[in-house]
Each structure stands twice: as structure tokens, then as C-alpha cells.
């Protein structure tokens, strides 16, 4: 932070994450810790390249003001990512009640006897933040997942689960596994058909029972229950 008596500036270096053909902004904060009203003005060595909002203003006592500096989209990468642009922030005490509309260039003229405080800021280009790397799935071909350590030292078991999944898929592709799956699928189909027929018979018995005020035979109820249990077991195995 600047050691200026009127305004403290943070930061003293304007950092821009440089990207081609993209407007980039950064913020500097002006803090007035004094009991005086302080007017400020921001200048730059390359005014066509930057937009400063606000470029003039008044910071009331014991308050802060944010100044946003926007760099226009650039078409070329500077050599060695170096920038020679600089900013100059001038500040001067003013009377209470002065607003940004009342600021004039003469206020910052040292030759007029005004006590003007100046702070120079340099521009720095920094690499743009990297996008998060996509998480590679363990099911991708040619990828051998391994257990990794997290930041707190715990072992990440996600890769182990992927390895187990691959091993399981390999086992299911064996001839024995294929034969078992085929057999269970056929059994499931037969049970579904039988269950459908028994359901139709059960509906018929219910209609008959409702017309004769009789009940459903216990044998049919037991058969339906056993078929349901067998079907559930086969569906789980398949």
C-alpha cells in the first residue's frame, strides 16, 4: 500500500491477466484515512489503450473509493509479456462539500501553489488463470488409473474403483459368463410369461369370486408369491 499522506492506494501495480482480443479489467482501491476531503485524478501514458472509471472524484474522510481500469482488447502479444505503460494518480485536499463535478485541472497544478501528492503505478501482464483440467474417466481405453493422494494425505480410491469395474467387465466377457447370462435371461423370460398368465388367471378368479361372493384359493396365492420371489432373484442375478 502507498505511504501517501492523502490517499492510500492498493495495489501499486496494476495486474492484467493478458488475453488476446479480450477486454481486461482490474481495480485499485483508494482509501482516505484523514479528516479532509481529497480530490483525485488518474492519468496514463497510453490513454487510448485504457478506460478509467472514474478518472476523477472525491474521497470523503475515512472512506474508500474503487477505480476500475479496463484495458482494451489487444490484437498482438507484447514482446516478453512486458508493458511500459504507467499510471499517475494525483490527489489534493479540497473543501468539504466539493463533488466530482467541481473538480478542475487547476486543482492539480503545482505551479499555482497547490499541495499535490502524486503516486506512480506500473502495469504488469500476468498469465491468465488456467481452466480446470477435465477429469479423465477410468473407463477410457488405454488409461491406467492409479490411486492418488489428496492434499490432506488421504488416498483417493476412485481410481481403484475404476480398476475393479474394468476387471468385472473383463470377467463378464468370458464364455462361461456369457452362457450364464444367456441362461438367466431365458429363465427370466419364461418366468415373466408364466407370471403374466397367472396374473390373468388371478384376475379371472377375482371376477368370479366377486360374482359368487367366494374367496381366492390359497394355492393360487402361494404360487403367485413364489413366482414373484423367483422373478426378483433372477432379475438381481441378471
Amino acid at each position: 500500500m502507498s505511504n501517501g499522506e492523502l490517499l492510500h492506494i492498493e495495489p501499486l501495480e496494476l495486474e492484467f491477466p493478458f488475453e488476446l482480443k479480450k477486454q481486461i479489467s482490474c481495480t485499485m482501491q483508494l482509501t482516505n484515512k484523514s479528516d479532509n476531503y481529497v480530490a483525485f485524478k488518474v492519468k496514463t501514458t497510453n490513454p487510448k489503450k485504457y478506460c478509467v472509471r472514474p478518472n476523477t472524484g472525491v474521497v470523503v474522510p475515512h472512506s474508500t473509493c474503487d477505480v476500475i481500469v479496463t484495458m482494451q482488447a489487444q490484437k498482438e502479444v507484447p514482446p516478453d509479456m512486458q508493458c511500459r505503460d504507467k499510471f499517475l494518480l494525483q490527489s489534493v485536499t479540497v473543501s468539504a462539500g466539493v463533488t466530482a463535478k467541481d473538480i478542475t485541472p487547476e486543482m492539480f497544478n503545482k505551479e499555482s501553489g497547490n499541495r499535490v501528492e502524486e503516486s506512480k503505478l506500473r502495469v504488469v501482464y500476468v498469465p491468465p488463470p488456467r481452466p480446470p483440467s477435465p477429469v479423465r474417466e477410468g473407463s477410457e481405453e488405454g488409461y491406467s488409473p492409479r490411486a492418488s493422494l489428496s492434499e490432506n494425505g488421504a488416498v483417493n480410491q476412485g481410481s481403484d474403483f475404476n480398476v475393479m469395474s474394468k476387471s468385472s467387465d473383463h470377467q463378464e466377457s468370458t464364455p462361461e459368463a456369457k452362457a450364464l447370462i444367456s441362461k438367466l435371461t431365458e429363465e427370466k423370460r419364461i418366468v415373466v410369461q408364466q407370471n403374466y398368465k397367472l396374473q390373468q388367471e388371478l384376475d379371472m378368479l377375482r371376477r368370479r369370486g366377486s360374482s359368487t361372493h367366494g374367496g381366492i384359493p390359497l394355492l393360487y396365492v402361494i404360487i403367485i408369491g413364489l413366482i414373484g420371489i423367483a422373478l426378483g432373484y433372477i432379475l438381481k442375478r441378471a
Side-chain angles (χ1 to χ4, degrees):
M1 182 174 288
S2 171
N3 293 323
E5 296 180 4
L6 299 181
L7 291 178
H8 291 263
I9 308 171
E10 177 67 26
L12 289 177
E13 289 186 350
L14 301 180
E15 294 187 351
F16 292 91
F18 188 87
E19 293 186 58
L20 286 176
K21 301 179 181 180
K22 182 178 179 181
Q23 283 190 347
I24 309 167
S25 299
C26 70
T27 302
M28 61 177 171
Q29 188 177 76
L30 311 180
T31 303
N32 180 7
K33 294 185 178 181
S34 69
D35 297 327
N36 301 315
Y37 283 73
V38 179
F40 69 89
K41 183 177 182 179
V42 182
K43 297 180 180 181
T44 177
T45 57
N46 197 343
K48 294 183 179 180
K49 185 177 178 181
Y50 301 93
C51 177
V52 182
R53 290 291 181 271
N55 62 341
T56 60
V58 177
V59 186
V60 301
H62 307 287
S63 65
T64 60
C65 175
D66 289 338
V67 177
I68 300 176
V69 182
T70 302
M71 182 177 67
Q72 303 302 319
Q74 301 298 299
K75 298 180 180 180
E76 297 180 355
V77 178
D80 300 327
M81 289 291 287
Q82 299 296 321
C83 182
R84 297 181 179 179
D85 301 334
K86 291 181 176 59
F87 282 81
L88 177 67
L89 188 140
Q90 296 176 306
S91 55
V92 62
T93 57
V94 294
S95 303
V98 173
T99 64
K101 295 180 180 180
D102 303 321
I103 296 177
T104 61
E106 288 75 16
M107 292 181 178
F108 304 94
N109 189 355
K110 294 181 180 180
E111 296 178 358
S112 300
N114 298 326
R115 181 175 175 271
V116 182
E117 188 174 272
E118 296 183 343
S119 299
K120 296 181 179 180
L121 300 89
R122 58 191 296 260
V123 176
V124 178
Y125 292 151
V126 296
R130 294 183 178 180
S133 58
V135 179
R136 300 182 63 181
E137 298 182 359
S139 59
E140 295 180 357
E141 287 189 29
Y143 176 62
S144 300
R146 297 179 181 177
S148 59
L149 292 177
S150 62
E151 293 182 358
N152 59 2
V155 178
N156 185 355
Q157 297 293 342
S159 299
D160 293 339
F161 292 147
N162 292 331
V163 174
M164 293 173 61
S165 176
K166 277 192 171 184
S167 176
S168 176
D169 294 341
H170 178 71
Q171 291 178 0
E172 290 180 358
S173 63
T174 60
E176 294 81 4
K178 289 182 178 179
L180 178 59
I181 292 174
S182 177
K183 180 180 179 181
L184 291 176
T185 302
E186 179 64 19
E187 291 178 357
K188 180 176 70 174
R189 185 184 64 81
I190 295 173
V191 171
V192 170
Q193 290 179 350
Q194 292 178 351
N195 188 36
Y196 177 74
K197 292 180 181 179
L198 290 175
Q199 186 66 34
Q200 288 182 330
E201 293 179 4
L202 179 61
D203 293 339
M204 185 181 299
L205 289 173
R206 284 178 178 174
R207 289 194 295 270
R208 290 179 181 177
S210 60
S211 60
T212 59
H213 302 285
I216 299 174
L218 180 60
L219 178 60
Y220 281 97
V221 175
I222 295 174
I223 292 175
I224 292 298
L226 293 176
I227 292 298
I229 294 173
L231 179 60
Y233 177 74
I234 292 174
L235 288 176
K236 285 184 179 180
R237 295 187 60 183

